[in-house]
Amino acid sequence: MSKKIGCGGVFYREFTTLSVVHTHYLMLGMVFFLMLVLLENSFHFIDNKVLKYLLLYHIGLNLTVVMLVIRGVVQVLSLDALIAVLFGIAHLILGISMVLVLISIRNCIKDSF
């Protein structure tokens, strides 16, 4: 009995440290923006400044996911040097942009009351 295993399945099985990529991308990419939609509907906080923060967020998110994949491959292959620095920078961008968006939401909520 032969099983057909796709390239992604083989890759995932060999590089099990990459299992966090999907959950990070789902939570930070979809759930975060679904919450923003709900908040925007109530408080109308998105303006040009917040759009710049969201662009920065997208850059940080995608860079983080790329670095998760690269770091996972590097860890399995035991080559873990410069990757930690790049991974840290990606997380820093993501964190700063998230804080800026949350501050904008807080300011808008404060102004509406």
Side-chain angles (χ1 to χ4, degrees):
M1 180 185 280
S2 67
K3 287 185 176 181
K4 290 187 177 181
I5 300 175
C7 293
V10 171
F11 188 77
Y12 177 80
R13 188 181 64 135
E14 295 300 320
F15 295 89
T16 54
T17 57
L18 298 175
S19 62
V20 297
V21 173
H22 182 260
T23 53
H24 271 77
Y25 216 37
L26 182 68
M27 292 302 294
L28 295 171
M30 185 184 76
V31 174
F32 179 74
F33 285 99
L34 287 174
M35 288 186 214
L36 285 182
V37 167
L38 294 173
L39 289 169
E40 171 62 20
N41 194 25
S42 298
F43 299 107
H44 308 293
F45 66 94
I46 295 181
D47 58 8
N48 286 335
K49 184 170 72 171
V50 174
L51 287 176
K52 289 178 187 175
Y53 299 157
L54 292 175
L55 176 62
L56 185 65
Y57 183 87
H58 275 286
I59 292 168
L61 174 63
N62 289 309
L63 184 58
T64 297
V65 168
V66 167
M67 293 311 301
L68 277 169
V69 171
I70 291 171
R71 183 168 186 151
V73 170
V74 166
Q75 276 182 334
V76 170
L77 299 177
S78 301
L79 306 168
D80 205 18
L82 175 66
I83 301 303
V85 173
L86 296 174
F87 195 57
I89 291 170
H91 267 84
L92 185 66
I93 292 170
L94 189 62
I96 289 170
S97 61
M98 190 180 297
V99 167
L100 291 171
V101 169
L102 292 173
I103 288 171
S104 297
I105 293 169
R106 184 195 67 190
N107 292 340
C108 184
I109 291 171
K110 215 191 277 185
D111 292 344
S112 67
F113 288 113

